[in-house]
Amino acid sequence: MILSYKAATPLGNKTLSELGDCTRRCGDMPGFAKAITAILGAMRGEDEQEFNITRTVLSDPVLTQKVLRLANSGMYSAFGQRVNTVSKAVLVLGTEAIGHLALGLKLIEELAASSTDTSIAHIEMEKAVLAGIVARQIAYTADSRHGEEAVVCAMLHTLGRMMLTFYMPDRWHALERLAQQTQRTVEDAAPELLGLSLEEIGHAAALHWGLPQALLNGMRTLAPAEPGAEIPPADWVAGLSTLAARCAEFLWHDDPGAAEKVQHLTDSYAAMLGVDAPALVHAIEQAKAIAVNDLTIAPLSRPAERRAKALAKTRQRAAGNKILLSGLADMRDLLDSASPGQMVQIALETIYQGLEFSRAVAFVRNRKDNQYAAKICFGEGTPELLPAMVFSDRYEANVFHAALTSDRVIFIENARDAKFAAKLPQWWRGSLAEARSFVILPLSANGQPAGFLYGDWDDSFPPISLSQNEFSLLNDMRAMVVRAVERRHGVVA
């Protein structure tokens, strides 16, 4: 609860209490709270850390594209060939960078989806997005691995403003009036009206959501350091987030005088960030160009000129084949270094995206327990089904054991055909029966079944048929996973 943060004045505690009441009435941004739990859980994971963050990313198409864009950016190009799958992006970027990227995006998404006052809350959200864009471009210029952390902190830097405009718009309007009457900024007037600063409100919200201490430190407003002073990483992040948030305030309005104000800021913070002022100005100009396409109501983005542009949501099957080819390329790149589990993960992600499965699941054979069990999955509602997707490795006359012994891709076009019902095992009927069509990719190593990949389509898809080219690509993918397994056991030279 926001009340767990104690302000220095009774008026401040009253404001937090009222804000706490508002958040409870409005649901306390449940989507964002849930996303934070998932993302932080994935970042803190151990054995399945890489997969958990991959699954979290793939649950959001927008985040998926942003992660892939970051992994293929100039900052990470030294790692090798193009990154086509989120699984490989996790290996390149690391879970922390992706987690910070996800946190920032989810915050803006949730506020945008739930806002009750678009005219003011949306403005503050777009400024936060713009601050994040500025921070990322500067981080690229500085070649800093603290970049994604700084991006999140830059967006959270004005969290207090977002909270107030989102939950208490009347109080925000009163604050604006007081600031105008006394010729002060809203930040300077806030303690008089609210009993605490806007930064303290943001800090209280961040504590309530359980954000890591590193992000709390990076949200601080920090004045430029003295020339020659040693800058700890935490202060570098806070300095960049402060600069980015202030730049966003100037740039969002597309004010003719913004360039002069930005120049003054860059001159002040250049030494602290380790980037000379002209390079900072260039990075901010690049951020402006990017923001034109990412913002929707900012004067900077000229929204009236962009409303005609729409993104096509339905991919052509040819694009799906390209995804399979790209995933295979990632697997070839990593064959000598990736573990069998990582190869399975990339293969599963690739077929999930490339064939647009409703659900995709990787099953692994446990010889000690004499059973197959689902270990990795993609698709809405699928994680909850994992405990039910377990069955004995003793041969039974059903389609799955048949696939494992035949060692070839199996495609079932109509799983609801009455004549086919006897070939479907009870565990499938209790967990995956919504499927109309499905594919099985058996994985055998040294002549013994080791597991299989499964993907299905439900009724939301038109009737499915796989081309010969797609069968060929799936078989190539199987072969790559098997090679990784055999290489791990010293079978392949």
Side-chain angles (χ1 to χ4, degrees), residues 293-343:
N293 294 317
D294 279 18
L295 305 183
T296 59
I297 63 170
L300 174 69
S301 71
R302 298 172 179 81
E305 300 172 14
R306 298 172 53 238
R307 288 209 170 105
K309 297 180 181 178
L311 295 174
K313 208 172 180 182
T314 305
R315 292 196 300 263
Q316 298 296 321
R317 287 301 293 275
N321 287 341
K322 290 177 182 176
I323 291 173
L324 296 183
L325 286 166
S326 297
L328 271 172
D330 277 357
M331 294 174 73
R332 290 191 185 98
D333 290 345
L334 295 168
L335 182 59
D336 292 334
S337 59
S339 69
Q342 289 168 338
M343 293 292 279

Side-chain angles (χ1 to χ4, degrees), residues 50 85 87-88 91-92 327 329-347 480-489:
E50 291 170 356
T85 54
S87 300
K88 185 176 179 182
L91 299 178
V92 170
D330 277 357
M331 294 174 73
R332 290 191 185 98
D333 290 345
L334 295 168
L335 182 59
D336 292 334
S337 59
S339 69
Q342 289 168 338
M343 293 292 279
V344 167
Q345 185 174 310
I346 295 176
M480 296 291 288
V481 175
V482 169
R483 283 182 63 187
V485 174
E486 293 180 337
R487 187 179 297 277
R488 171 57 62 91
H489 291 88

Side-chain angles (χ1 to χ4, degrees), residues 128-438:
V129 171
L130 179 53
I133 295 172
V134 170
R136 178 170 289 117
Q137 292 304 122
I138 293 176
Y140 285 168
T141 302
D143 195 22
S144 170
R145 289 307 175 85
H146 299 287
E148 288 309 316
E149 181 181 340
V151 170
V152 179
C153 293
M155 287 194 285
L156 293 174
H157 195 84
T158 56
L159 181 57
R161 294 171 68 110
M162 286 189 278
M163 293 293 291
L164 204 62
T165 56
F166 182 81
Y167 288 113
M168 304 173 73
D170 291 343
R171 193 66 59 87
W172 174 261
H173 289 309
L175 180 59
E176 285 188 313
R177 286 194 296 272
L178 175 62
Q180 186 174 19
Q181 291 167 0
T182 57
Q183 297 184 326
R184 290 180 289 176
T185 65
V186 289
E187 282 80 10
D188 290 338
E192 179 181 338
L193 182 70
L194 306 175
L196 75 173
S197 68
L198 295 176
E199 185 172 329
E200 287 176 301
I201 292 175
H203 188 80
L207 282 174
H208 166 61
W209 288 327
L211 293 185
Q213 187 62 44
L215 295 184
L216 293 172
N217 290 338
M219 292 167 59
R220 292 173 293 146
T221 296
L222 199 61
E226 293 295 325
E230 184 177 345
I231 310 298
D235 285 358
W236 188 90
V237 171
L240 176 51
S241 71
T242 302
L243 169 65
R246 289 177 177 173
C247 283
E249 182 70 26
F250 301 143
L251 297 175
W252 189 90
H253 298 281
D254 201 25
D255 184 344
E260 184 178 343
K261 297 173 183 175
V262 168
Q263 181 68 60
H264 176 72
L265 281 172
T266 56
D267 290 341
S268 301
Y269 281 90
M272 181 179 186
L273 299 178
V275 181
D276 61 42
L280 280 180
V281 171
H282 179 67
I284 293 168
E285 286 300 316
Q286 288 180 311
K288 277 182 63 177
I290 294 169
V292 166
N293 294 317
D294 279 18
L295 305 183
T296 59
I297 63 170
L300 174 69
S301 71
R302 298 172 179 81
E305 300 172 14
R306 298 172 53 238
R307 288 209 170 105
K309 297 180 181 178
L311 295 174
K313 208 172 180 182
T314 305
R315 292 196 300 263
Q316 298 296 321
R317 287 301 293 275
N321 287 341
K322 290 177 182 176
I323 291 173
L324 296 183
L325 286 166
S326 297
L328 271 172
D330 277 357
M331 294 174 73
R332 290 191 185 98
D333 290 345
L334 295 168
L335 182 59
D336 292 334
S337 59
S339 69
Q342 289 168 338
M343 293 292 279
V344 167
Q345 185 174 310
I346 295 176
L348 190 70
E349 177 192 340
T350 299
I351 64 172
Y352 174 66
Q353 300 230 76
L355 295 178
E356 298 183 293
F357 284 133
S358 301
R359 300 170 296 195
V361 187
F363 289 78
V364 176
R365 185 181 187 181
N366 185 324
R367 294 180 184 277
K368 181 180 178 181
D369 296 335
N370 299 313
Q371 66 182 18
Y372 291 91
K375 294 296 184 183
I376 304 175
C377 62
F378 295 120
E380 186 176 355
T382 311
E384 290 76 16
L385 301 175
L386 284 179
M389 292 189 280
V390 179
F391 63 95
S392 171
D393 65 0
R394 187 177 63 254
Y395 182 82
E396 296 177 3
N398 63 53
V399 66
F400 292 93
H401 279 291
L404 288 164
T405 56
S406 68
D407 195 31
R408 63 187 178 90
V409 174
I410 300 293
F411 170 52
I412 305 302
E413 186 175 0
N414 183 11
R416 297 174 184 174
D417 187 334
K419 297 177 182 178
F420 189 69
K423 299 180 180 179
L424 292 168
Q426 185 58 43
W427 68 264
W428 184 91
R429 295 176 192 173
S431 55
L432 299 170
E434 291 182 6
R436 184 181 61 200
S437 306
F438 63 83

Side-chain angles (χ1 to χ4, degrees), residues 435-491:
R436 184 181 61 200
S437 306
F438 63 83
V439 174
I440 305 170
L441 282 72
L443 305 171
S444 295
N446 310 325
Q448 292 294 318
F452 61 95
L453 306 184
Y454 167 93
D456 65 29
W457 298 273
D458 60 22
D459 286 330
S460 65
F461 288 78
I464 297 294
S465 63
L466 294 181
S467 69
Q468 193 58 45
N469 183 46
E470 286 167 328
F471 272 109
S472 177
L473 291 170
L474 293 176
N475 273 309
D476 288 346
M477 203 162 296
R478 278 193 330 119
M480 296 291 288
V481 175
V482 169
R483 283 182 63 187
V485 174
E486 293 180 337
R487 187 179 297 277
R488 171 57 62 91
H489 291 88
V491 177

